[in-house]
Amino acid sequence: MAQEIFKENHFDAVIHFAGYKAVGESVSIPLTYYENNISGSINLYQLMKKYGVRNLVFSSSATVYGDDFEVPFKEEYGLGTTTNPYGTTKKMNEMIITDMNKAEKENSTVILRYFNPIGAHPSG
């Protein structure tokens, strides 16, 4: 189905927000997270390449910093040691994108790293 979308339309960019996103669930069913979040992303990146879409915005997560750095996190910290499969899939995607962009210099990518956009739990 995704191939048909690319075949029938022209895109200047892809905003990639797709993926499973529950940390606790990722610990319970890690293979499901890896299959969806990594394999699904690779399929998307291959379609982008095939159809000449060179611009990507990837929705990552601050979880890629892991517990290796002091808060507040700074972008220059880079990738840390993740603590759950969800975070690892985000980290792996960032690594895949970095490698892809090294090989394909015409690509332009923005990676957004952010915290839970919903807000704090009432417990604080």
Side-chain angles (χ1 to χ4, degrees):
M1 176 163 180
Q3 174 122 342
E4 288 80 29
I5 293 169
F6 275 86
K7 222 184 249 189
E8 295 170 4
N9 300 279
H10 169 77
F11 300 102
D12 294 321
V14 168
I15 303 173
H16 182 6
F17 285 92
Y20 295 146
K21 60 176 181 47
V23 170
E25 182 181 70
S26 78
V27 174
S28 300
I29 53 171
L31 292 178
T32 301
Y33 270 70
Y34 287 115
E35 179 178 31
N36 184 72
N37 293 5
I38 301 302
S39 297
S41 294
I42 289 171
N43 291 337
L44 173 63
Y45 305 147
Q46 288 174 329
L47 284 171
M48 289 175 64
K49 180 176 181 174
K50 180 176 181 176
Y51 289 95
V53 182
R54 300 293 180 200
N55 301 306
L56 172 67
V57 176
F58 177 67
S59 174
S60 190
S61 170
T63 193
V64 300
Y65 295 116
D67 293 331
D68 298 336
F69 306 106
E70 289 183 26
V71 176
F73 295 131
K74 299 176 182 162
E75 272 190 77
E76 59 265 18
Y77 287 165
L79 300 173
T81 306
T82 54
T83 59
N84 55 72
Y86 163 73
T88 303
T89 66
K90 291 298 186 177
K91 178 180 175 180
M92 290 172 77
N93 257 290
E94 288 195 28
M95 294 167 65
I96 291 165
I97 291 166
T98 298
D99 289 343
M100 187 172 62
N101 289 347
K102 284 178 186 173
E104 301 170 32
K105 305 284 187 218
E106 62 275 10
N107 287 356
S108 179
T109 303
V110 173
I111 295 175
L112 304 175
R113 294 179 183 160
Y114 43 86
F115 294 89
N116 182 347
I118 303 303
H121 187 271
S123 68

